[in-house]
Amino acid sequence: DEAHADAARAMEAAAASGNASEDPIMLTSARVDENEEAVFGPVRLGPRCDVVEGDTLLHLLLRNGAARGAVEACLRMGADVRATNARGEHCLGLSRKAKARAG
């Protein structure tokens, strides 16, 4: 749909600009703790949150179907669309997959 297409275009533009944030929240990544629970920084993520080790905030938003405004805010804050998680997935790729699924 058009929302996914807009988000994909915004990510392509961010990737082309080479800009990335130094904001600590943008540099934080998800991990699985010793209790096998997913955490992002100091926050425990719920069991319904789809998480891959090393996901950035932008990965989490894209993977879990966040609202377009949340993704755009993350991009405005300087999220690195080329950041990769433990599976080697980058945000730009996740956005392209979401766009393809949406048709």
Side-chain angles (χ1 to χ4, degrees):
D1 74 6
E2 191 59 31
H4 289 289
D6 288 345
R9 281 190 289 275
M11 285 193 205
E12 295 280 357
S17 74
N19 293 334
S21 176
E22 296 299 321
D23 186 319
I25 193 72
M26 293 299 152
L27 300 175
T28 299
S29 62
R31 62 182 176 78
V32 177
D33 70 10
E34 63 279 353
N35 298 316
E36 299 295 317
E37 294 182 18
V39 294
F40 183 78
V43 178
R44 289 206 180 284
L45 302 174
R48 292 182 18 194
C49 185
D50 189 10
V51 178
V52 171
E53 185 85 24
D55 274 353
T56 64
L57 179 57
L58 188 54
H59 280 100
L60 291 172
L61 293 173
L62 292 167
R63 185 181 313 288
N64 290 282
R68 176 180 164 187
V71 172
E72 288 174 346
C74 194
L75 289 170
R76 282 192 304 274
M77 290 180 64
D80 184 356
V81 299
R82 294 166 295 196
T84 57
N85 62 19
R87 284 189 197 157
E89 298 169 320
H90 53 85
C91 299
L92 199 51
L94 288 177
S95 174
R96 288 177 181 150
K97 287 178 188 176
K99 179 182 172 188
R101 281 192 304 269

